[in-house]
Amino acid sequence: MDRTDQQPDPHDPRDSRDRRGTGGQTPDAAFAALLEDSAEELYENAPCGYLSTLMDGTIAKINTTLLNWLGLTREAVVGHLRFTDLLSVGGKLYHETHFAPLLRMRGEISGIALELARADGGRIPVLVSSVVTHGSTGEPLLIRTTVFDARDRRAYEEELLRGRQAAEAARRQAEADRARLQETLAVLQQSLLPDTLPEVPGVQTAASYHTASPDHLTGDFYDVFPLGGTRFAFFLGDVCGKGPQAAAVTSLTRYTLRAAALHDPDPVAALTTLNQVLHERYTAGGDPRYCTTVFGTLQPDPATGKVAVRLASGGHPPALVLRADGTAHFLPTPGGLLVGVLPHATFTTATTTLAPGDTLLLYTDGLTEARTGPDRTHLFGDQALLAFATRHAGRPPHALIHALTGLLAGFGDGLDDDTALLALGVPAFDPPTRSTR
């Protein structure tokens, strides 16, 4: 039978047991006991302090809770002390300068932080709310005040303050650690690059290294060095990866290319030696490390002012040749493989001649792979670089590098990788001057 519509029988003992509380007392009995509490009992033993004062502050009534907090007797307080007598020195000052004027102006005030002075000399942080009670004719009669113990709140605020101070100290320490790390990385990065480029007879040189993030150590590199006589060698490249491992490969690559060039300056021979060293050192041991690089030689001809360039590329973006007549083109270097991947790699020599006003530009892929556009979803790319280079063709290497560093800075957060730039150019002939009499 369904009994859901039936009312419980008050005489049914089962219903009585069901309606008993956990203490064996029915909810009705507990509620009845609550109603038996007198208003005076609720006032005296409330969880907060209550007091009433005359308009001059003389205490006319105070509850037991507040007396216990203060450690005072009712006889010593009522009719003898004023509300300000219960406050600390700082509390009295704040009461006179802020609390009392606001109360007179508004007729009520709430949530004001003060301090009570205990009889034993202790202090109790409290939150005070007061309201002025008026008579039937509107004249102010009494001030009724409620006092809340704020010791738990004060402890919470102090703990919160300590937490904030600890967090701030940790933040400052983290910033200091990051600054030291960035300084260390900058020094290490600089150690992988030449301090200055040597003077090459009949050739102007300029280089730049643009760091995408000061928090990362990357593997872009370049160098220019003499081979003996009037010949010079140059290289520029990019090691796979970032961090200390990439820096180690970069260091090995730079010194290997320099040593290989002194033994055999042929660009293909230098890249072949580097490929063998990287493969034996890393890839053959199960830790593949590789790089892309362009290695070349410069042979100036003092008689013509031209410079013969021979270079080979190992998987690197093609070099750009900027002509004095305002044109620019990529120098094809077919057949170049990533250096260090295979035990035997084939490289091919490419040649060109730089005439006065011409410049050879080498760069790493941080430039062409920079993200552009409003949504940063398009790569800058080879064709955009070619168009940019064409607009600067005929300019000396230092002016070209200056323009490119400005371009890199304009990419902002679209630049994800470091970029190395190296420009080698033949000075243009000075235009003849007309003599006048």
Side-chain angles (χ1 to χ4, degrees), residues 171-209:
R171 183 189 64 80
R172 290 194 299 268
Q173 183 62 47
E175 289 179 350
D177 292 343
R178 183 185 180 189
R180 284 194 294 269
L181 175 62
Q182 290 178 349
E183 182 180 0
T184 301
L185 292 178
V187 172
L188 289 175
Q189 190 76 69
Q190 198 61 37
S191 69
L192 301 175
L193 302 171
D195 293 333
T196 59
L197 296 179
E199 292 187 5
V200 181
V203 177
Q204 293 177 333
T205 62
S208 177
Y209 192 97

Side-chain angles (χ1 to χ4, degrees), residues 253-374:
T253 297
R254 291 184 69 246
Y255 290 112
T256 298
L257 286 175
R258 272 180 164 266
L262 294 177
H263 176 72
D264 186 348
D266 179 69
V268 170
L271 292 188
T272 299
T273 300
L274 176 62
N275 184 80
Q276 293 173 348
V277 170
L278 291 183
H279 187 272
E280 292 176 2
R281 173 65 178 83
Y282 294 103
T283 306
D287 182 21
R289 300 283 175 178
Y290 56 88
C291 71
T292 68
T293 187
V294 174
F295 182 93
T297 61
L298 301 172
Q299 180 66 65
D301 183 353
T304 63
K306 297 181 179 180
V307 176
V309 179
R310 299 179 71 246
L311 59 81
S313 172
H316 199 80
L320 263 170
V321 180
L322 290 70
R323 298 299 183 183
D325 61 4
T327 62
H329 63 87
F330 289 108
L331 180 63
T333 49
L337 297 176
L338 294 174
V339 183
V341 175
L342 301 176
H344 304 287
T346 301
F347 305 102
T348 304
T349 301
T351 61
T352 190
T353 299
L354 300 178
D358 295 345
T359 297
L360 180 72
L361 174 66
L362 305 178
Y363 54 93
T364 54
D365 58 10
L367 174 58
T368 53
E369 294 182 358
R371 294 177 287 109
T372 62

